[in-house]
Amino acid sequence: MVGSIKAANNHNNGYGLEEKLDELRSLLGKADGDPLRIVGVGAGAWGSVFAALLQDSYGQFREKVQIRIWRRPGRAVDRATAEHLFEVINSREDVLRRLIWRCAYLKYVEARLGDRTLFADEILKDGFCLNMIETPLCPLKVVTNLQEAVWDADIVVNGLPSTETREVFEEISQYWKERITAPIIISLAKGIEAALKPVPRIITPTQMINRATGVPMENILYLGGPNIASEIHNKEYANARICGAGKWRKPLAKFLRQPHFIVWDNSDLVTHEVMGGLKNVYAIGAGMVAALTNESATSKSVYFAHCTSEMIFITHLLAEEPEKLAGPLLADTYVTLLKGRNAWYGQMLAKGEISRDMGDSISGKGMIQGVSAVGAFYELLSQSSLSVLHPDEKKPVAPVELCPILKTLYKILIIREQPSQAILQALRDETLNDPRERIEIAQSHAFYRPSLLGQP
């Protein structure tokens, strides 16, 4: 009886998925026999998991949809990672059986022994993301030629770091010159760039894509939310928001929604995208505090109070109605401070297990986007043209002067004039204002600067 119920549920779920796929195909004008082509560009943890989610859900409908992922070729897997990967494979009977059935197991044995070099694109085909070895995915269709991957894609998922988005999409634009219709682009990137002329403003990944390719903004969306890639793949309950123009966000929200991954939609693309980058800034500091205080719950809560008050202050500079962001922003911040790669980076830096000289791309973790975001937000908020009235000194100051945590992170990470321990000194400074005061300042003054997001 239980087996019959499970079979019935599987049948119903499959029917619902095919119905959603058919609806999206119809909206895109796809004819019978012409598959919907979805391509992930970039194979970091979240980009790989996102492609795997789509493959798990819709890959069974081979005549109706084609799901692929692009990553650069030639990235070798080091010996230590190969050995760890072998352990992961042998600890999972389902994965071991799958590899044996696909005649793919032997190469992992040889790599463990040092008799063979594995490559990141090679193992991705078997379902292993180099940045998330301990979470095996489903096998993926991997393409290493960018032109082949994207030239006829209907939907492109940007899984690149924000620091690589512009360069790759400028190359992609060369392959789309003959296109008649523009593709849909869903960006997963969380990070920003700062432009200081002619006026200080933020440039987001969706804006980079728009400028690089000419694809209209109504076809470019941002997907973000409080989630950890490995946990989403393991079907932990999660929420996300897809933000952008109404033409595509509601159909895509429905298409992406799963029982364990609920996708809502929102029209405020740029603000949500910027906030996705902002929380990475403060997550690095959270990791430092956790490491330096031996995971003191009290110290971490003090840091949380100060960093969220700064984030609330910054949202009042960026958003006309920032209260609408309070829930999603704090939820995304909370999970990133708990378990994100930026928090991990802060921890390892404070423990001395990694150094700033290693750069922002860390083996096994990928790009730490919070570092560049620290520099970008500091540059923007230190501009005198954005001055606000200092509550105590009663004189105009750059907004960054009211953000001591951001200033300290800049000194630690960007100009490197202070050690990680400086983050604790910032918290212990008796001249530091009560976080409540910073929130009251933000809520009681007209700080909104629409120019920061490129608004008139």
Side-chain angles (χ1 to χ4, degrees), residues 156-447:
V156 174
V157 180
N158 175 34
L160 296 162
S162 58
T163 49
E164 298 179 20
T165 293
R166 185 193 305 277
E167 177 186 353
V168 174
F169 275 88
E170 283 176 350
E171 182 179 348
I172 287 174
S173 70
Q174 302 302 310
Y175 311 136
W176 285 348
K177 288 183 177 178
E178 306 300 322
R179 287 192 68 124
I180 298 173
T181 58
I184 297 169
I185 301 172
I186 302 172
S187 180
L188 310 178
K190 295 177 174 69
I192 68 162
E193 288 183 356
L196 304 182
K197 295 180 179 180
V199 294
R201 59 193 171 85
I202 287 169
I203 302 174
T204 67
T206 61
Q207 292 170 336
M208 296 175 202
I209 293 169
N210 167 253
R211 293 169 189 178
T213 64
V215 171
M217 284 303 297
E218 70 173 9
N219 277 40
I220 306 176
L221 304 100
Y222 163 70
L223 182 89
N227 47 57
I228 300 295
S230 60
E231 294 185 350
I232 291 176
H233 182 263
N234 291 332
K235 294 185 167 43
E236 299 291 343
Y237 180 76
N239 293 144
R241 278 178 177 75
I242 189 161
C243 306
K247 180 179 180 181
W248 292 116
R249 72 172 191 269
K250 288 185 180 296
L252 287 171
K254 183 176 181 180
F255 178 71
L256 297 173
R257 189 176 297 127
Q258 298 185 21
H260 66 283
F261 185 61
I262 305 303
V263 181
W264 297 314
D265 68 279
N266 192 286
S267 62
D268 194 348
L269 181 152
V270 176
T271 310
H272 278 81
E273 197 174 11
V274 171
M275 295 305 109
L278 182 61
K279 50 92 176 179
N280 285 338
V281 167
Y282 291 97
I284 296 177
M288 291 176 179
V289 170
L292 294 168
T293 64
N294 196 27
E295 298 289 345
S296 163
T298 302
S299 296
K300 289 193 289 186
S301 68
V302 171
Y303 177 82
F304 187 76
H306 282 290
C307 81
T308 51
S309 74
E310 287 190 18
M311 294 177 76
I312 290 168
F313 173 74
I314 293 171
T315 62
H316 279 75
L317 290 166
L318 298 172
E320 191 168 12
E321 297 179 298
E323 64 278 357
K324 292 182 178 180
L325 286 167
L329 175 60
L330 290 178
D332 207 359
T333 300
Y334 179 67
V335 74
T336 305
L337 267 57
L338 282 177
K339 199 176 177 180
R341 77 178 69 174
N342 289 277
W344 172 89
Y345 178 80
Q347 284 186 319
M348 295 300 102
L349 206 61
K351 289 178 179 179
E353 296 185 21
I354 60 175
S355 72
R356 282 292 294 122
D357 293 334
M358 295 172 65
D360 303 344
S361 184
I362 306 297
S363 177
K365 288 291 181 179
M367 181 61 68
I368 309 299
Q369 298 189 80
V371 177
S372 62
V374 168
F377 277 108
Y378 182 91
E379 283 186 44
L380 285 167
L381 301 182
S382 61
Q383 300 303 304
S384 59
S385 60
L386 302 173
S387 293
V388 298
L389 188 66
H390 194 287
D392 297 327
E393 300 176 12
K394 305 301 181 185
K395 66 178 183 179
V397 296
V400 77
E401 297 303 321
L402 297 180
C403 300
I405 302 299
L406 176 59
K407 285 181 64 177
T408 302
L409 289 171
Y410 181 80
K411 292 175 181 177
I412 296 171
L413 298 170
I414 307 301
I415 60 176
R416 307 187 194 183
E417 70 174 28
Q418 291 185 347
S420 299
Q421 288 78 4
I423 198 76
L424 292 185
Q425 188 57 44
L427 293 181
R428 293 166 178 162
D429 187 348
E430 65 180 31
T431 65
L432 199 63
N433 289 336
D434 184 330
R436 174 186 57 81
E437 295 178 18
R438 189 178 297 104
I439 295 171
E440 289 178 350
I441 292 166
Q443 292 176 336
S444 61
H445 294 78
F447 281 163

